[in-house]
Amino acid sequence: MQIPVMLNDEADLFDVSPNESLLQALREKKLYKVKCGCMEGHCGNCMVLIDGKPVPSCIVPVAAVRDSNIVTLEFFKSFPEYSDIMTGFRQAGVNLCGYCDAGKILTAYQLITTPARPSIQQITDMIKDLDFCCTDRNSYINGILYAIATKHKREGKKYGRK
């Protein structure tokens, strides 16, 4: 079955069986930043953006993404928000291992692009299932807060002043 998608800003076709997971289809295209982890949609290691939202690709049947816009970490690195996130992570002392990067970075993306600044509790709730093999939760939360500040500075936003 052929399934048309936009993959990393280019029109593409998945030529797969419809019950194959998106993770399998992406790895067949040699997109190896999409990692195999828990295979239950919790750890975040296989995270991609589907139509701008972070989704664990291991639990998504490839047939469900017909005509969707899919962004993997390889391409996300060209987004200005990637730089904001990495700056925030450096400020917080977050060192990523390479295995769990997609989940941490794309979840941070969702949090830094929300219209209202997320609270610590909202961030904590959002990251509760992520795999924390290379950093601790508090540093990661601080990294997100620094990333938000970096993004706002880049965009020229000022908060707390009228």
Side-chain angles (χ1 to χ4, degrees), residues 58-123:
C58 67
I59 61 169
V60 176
V62 72
V65 297
R66 177 179 295 278
D67 299 321
S68 294
N69 183 17
I70 301 165
V71 173
T72 65
L73 187 57
E74 288 92 343
F75 186 70
F76 182 74
K77 289 181 175 186
S78 68
F79 285 39
E81 292 86 357
Y82 176 80
S83 180
D84 299 337
I85 292 164
M86 297 314 292
T87 297
F89 284 3
R90 275 190 301 281
Q91 288 176 308
V94 173
N95 295 306
L96 299 176
C97 64
Y99 187 70
C100 61
D101 294 8
K104 293 205 181 47
I105 292 168
L106 298 178
T107 299
Y109 171 74
Q110 183 175 21
L111 286 160
I112 73 169
T113 57
T114 57
R117 185 182 299 242
S119 69
I120 300 283
Q121 187 58 54
Q122 288 170 318
I123 295 171

Side-chain angles (χ1 to χ4, degrees), residues 83-84 87-88 91 145-155:
S83 180
D84 299 337
T87 297
Q91 288 176 308
L145 295 172
Y146 284 130
I148 291 168
T150 301
K151 179 179 179 282
H152 289 167
K153 182 177 179 183
R154 177 178 53 79
E155 293 174 343

